[in-house]
Amino acid sequence: MSLAGSAASPQNQYPSNVFFGFEFVLQPLAVKWACGGQRDQDLAQINALIVAFPEDAKQAELGSIIATLSGMSDGLDILPKLIGTEITGQQIEQLCAAALPLNIDWLTPEHFNRRDESEVPVGQETGWADFFAVVEGFQ
């Protein structure tokens, strides 16, 4: 799975918009924030990407998506909406445990534009995979 985007064709050609597939980053971050995780650094990283790729961000409506996510109240009651299914208290604990360690400090405009997964810190790569495994386990 790519954290910086995903392939658009069988030949692995990337679409022209660098934010293609970025929902796979935004959803886990929104879960992290709902669980009480720090959002300021994540938003600073995302804003740096928006500044670096303004036309792509506009086309992807990233500003409005970020405004919506930023405006969501903190709290566990929003989690079912974020992941699209009802979850139990134990599942909330699992989800938060998987989401809280996530960060995108490594996702710079240069890295994002290259779509180079080799620069993702090993702990973060594992953390993102664990997050998605938890979510998939709920379904």
Side-chain angles (χ1 to χ4, degrees):
M1 170 190 17
S2 171
L3 298 178
S6 57
S9 72
Q11 295 84 20
N12 272 345
Q13 297 296 316
Y14 287 107
S16 60
N17 191 309
V18 298
F19 293 105
F20 181 78
F22 200 58
E23 66 273 7
F24 292 108
V25 173
L26 294 177
Q27 181 204 31
L29 292 178
V31 169
K32 172 183 147 180
W33 302 338
C35 292
Q38 181 59 258
R39 74 173 70 191
D40 292 341
Q41 181 63 33
D42 296 333
L43 289 172
Q45 292 296 117
I46 293 168
N47 284 329
L49 296 173
I50 290 171
V51 168
F53 307 104
E55 289 302 315
D56 286 351
K58 182 178 179 180
Q59 183 183 23
E61 300 178 3
L62 195 56
S64 63
I65 294 168
I66 297 303
T68 299
L69 292 175
S70 298
M72 290 181 148
S73 61
D74 291 336
L76 304 177
D77 56 319
I78 194 77
L79 290 176
K81 182 178 179 182
L82 289 173
I83 64 166
T85 188
E86 291 299 317
I87 52 178
T88 68
Q90 181 182 10
Q91 289 172 319
I92 289 172
E93 288 178 22
Q94 291 173 326
L95 187 62
C96 288
L100 286 171
L102 300 178
N103 73 60
I104 56 171
D105 295 348
W106 49 269
L107 191 55
T108 64
E110 297 79 20
H111 175 260
F112 195 71
N113 195 34
R114 286 190 314 266
R115 301 172 191 265
D116 182 2
E117 297 297 316
S118 68
E119 294 180 20
V120 178
V122 174
Q124 280 300 303
E125 189 173 300
T126 302
W128 287 86
D130 290 348
F131 173 84
F132 285 109
V134 168
V135 172
E136 288 171 8
F138 295 163
Q139 309 200 359

